[in-house]
Amino acid sequence: MRLYAVVAAGGFRRYATYRVATLAGVFTNTVFGFIMAYTYIALWDERPQLGGYDMSQALTYVWLGQALLMTCAMMGGGFEDELMERIRTGDIAVDLYRPADLQLWWLAGDLGRAAFHLLGRGIVPMVLGALAFDLAIPRSPWTWLAFLVSVGLGVVVSFGVRYLVALSAFWLMDGAGAMQIAWLAGLFFSGMMLPLTLFPGWLGELARVLPWSSLLQVPADVFLGTYAGWDVVRAYAFQGGWAVALLLAGRMLQSVATRRAVVQGG
């Protein structure tokens, strides 16, 4: 486990190196936060309690989305391009011979990336949003802790989806199309555009059971107190279930791809 802790720390330092990019990201997240906040204000003025949220909760949801956009990689980003390039060039063979688990290696690096984005690009927009608007900030430290656990699970779910997409390069050679589909699905079904509670009928029910809801909707509801007591445990079970399922699927796909590469190499 020490190896993967070092990899995670390396992932954190890698993204911390790009200070100008981080500042640009903070600026972008803040600008889009204000645009979406005023859009939500206009919408909630016409439809109070829309989706079960009051105005303060709706605005909080907006700024949580900006804080978690890069943390949970709802628009992609992170290891996918590098892993697909290594598959395309054949450098993945070197990775498979390393005395380390391929999936855990990339997961550790992605956890480091997520931790940096939560601190580097999440806190400042959230603070600025709280200064400009009346946000529903929880006072209980237990709510904050529950929220951070939910965010951590969301990051693992996000990794699981993106790892599967990256492994598709073993068959597609260029996984750009699959990555764009996953990116669009992540934006729409995570609740980044609108809370999933606003989706009508079967579409809303479907959206809430898909893995992408773990990236924003579930952590946001934990933060806003929608889940309490055993509901929080059930939310964790939902996120954890998807995390385990996606990681196992990635491991099986990795095994199939490895055998295929060995057969072709032989």
Side-chain angles (χ1 to χ4, degrees), residues 107-183:
L107 174 58
D110 200 56
L111 290 175
R113 174 206 60 82
F116 172 77
H117 282 310
L118 182 62
L119 297 174
R121 290 185 58 170
I123 292 178
V124 174
M126 193 72 184
V127 170
L128 293 175
L131 292 174
F133 302 98
D134 179 25
L135 303 188
I137 304 297
R139 297 182 178 179
S140 171
W142 295 109
T143 302
W144 283 94
L145 179 60
F147 167 70
L148 291 176
V149 172
S150 184
V151 170
L153 290 170
V155 170
V156 178
V157 172
S158 173
F159 169 83
V161 172
R162 290 177 290 126
Y163 190 69
L164 286 172
V165 171
L167 290 181
S168 70
F170 274 107
W171 290 269
L172 302 177
M173 293 304 294
D174 181 4
M179 189 163 58
Q180 288 180 350
I181 293 173
W183 171 69

Side-chain angles (χ1 to χ4, degrees), residues 9-135:
F12 187 97
R13 288 195 301 270
R14 176 182 180 182
Y15 284 88
T17 303
Y18 302 102
R19 296 182 179 88
V20 175
T22 300
L23 291 174
V26 168
F27 176 78
T28 303
N29 285 135
T30 303
V31 169
F32 275 96
F34 274 98
I35 293 172
M36 293 190 67
Y38 284 113
T39 303
Y40 272 46
I41 288 173
L43 184 57
W44 259 259
D45 277 339
E46 294 295 323
R47 297 284 301 277
Q49 298 296 324
L50 185 63
Y53 301 130
D54 59 26
M55 178 73 78
S56 180
Q57 290 174 319
L59 291 173
T60 305
Y61 186 95
V62 168
W63 291 102
L64 285 172
Q66 295 306 309
L68 298 181
L69 177 62
M70 289 302 295
T71 303
C72 292
M74 284 174 258
M75 295 180 63
F79 68 93
E80 305 98 298
D81 289 335
E82 182 179 353
L83 178 54
M84 285 191 291
E85 179 64 16
R86 294 188 70 80
I87 293 172
R88 188 186 68 81
T89 60
D91 290 341
I92 190 68
V94 177
D95 300 335
L96 292 172
Y97 277 108
R98 287 175 178 165
D101 184 87
L102 183 69
Q103 187 184 57
L104 289 179
W105 176 281
W106 290 102
L107 174 58
D110 200 56
L111 290 175
R113 174 206 60 82
F116 172 77
H117 282 310
L118 182 62
L119 297 174
R121 290 185 58 170
I123 292 178
V124 174
M126 193 72 184
V127 170
L128 293 175
L131 292 174
F133 302 98
D134 179 25
L135 303 188

